[in-house]
Amino acid sequence: QVQLVESGGGLVQPGGSLRLSCVASGTFFSLYNMAWYRQAPGKQRELVARIDRSHSTNYADSVKGRFTISRDNAKNTVYLQMNSLKPEDTAVYYCNRESTPTLWGKGTLVTVSS
């Protein structure tokens, strides 16, 4: 069964950094567009960053210049490097495979607090 497994979340102080990883099982990882979403308490899930098969990227305005999405197709992994973290970045971060049907990981919690 194909799965997405996120890791790398945790507690970090404002201004700190974290790197999230998402490992995909199964084959043909390189053929899929991948994305990171997040959901803060009481809010809707929102797109954070997306990377397509050609490694083109796009970002939510709120994270531009601070977050970087990348992928390593040899490792079936997509990353989210998060720098200059703010308390408003606190959320559960989910990995997503753009496919039919779409595929979601279970999420990893990021808490930004002093």
Side-chain angles (χ1 to χ4, degrees):
Q1 185 177 0
V2 179
Q3 290 183 317
L4 300 176
V5 180
E6 303 99 334
S7 62
L11 174 63
V12 63
Q13 292 188 342
S17 298
L18 283 175
R19 188 176 82 153
L20 306 183
S21 300
C22 169
V23 180
S25 61
T27 55
F28 307 117
F29 173 79
S30 63
L31 299 183
Y32 293 104
N33 301 331
M34 300 294 296
W36 286 96
Y37 285 74
R38 67 185 180 187
Q39 187 166 18
K43 294 188 177 181
Q44 289 189 332
R45 192 173 296 190
E46 63 175 358
L47 176 66
V48 175
R50 179 180 177 273
I51 185 166
D52 69 15
R53 293 177 294 177
S54 62
H55 294 232
S56 294
T57 59
N58 58 280
Y59 298 90
D61 287 344
S62 59
V63 306
K64 280 181 182 176
R66 300 189 298 123
F67 290 11
T68 302
I69 189 171
S70 61
R71 65 191 298 164
D72 184 339
N73 290 335
K75 297 182 179 179
N76 278 19
T77 302
V78 60
Y79 303 98
L80 186 68
Q81 178 66 44
M82 305 185 295
N83 299 327
S84 302
L85 282 160
K86 305 175 180 179
E88 52 263 44
D89 295 318
T90 295
V92 178
Y93 284 72
Y94 296 92
C95 182
N96 172 257
R97 188 186 77 179
E98 296 183 359
S99 54
T100 303
T102 191
L103 187 63
W104 293 93
K106 293 183 178 181
T108 185
L109 177 62
V110 173
T111 303
V112 185
S113 175
S114 55

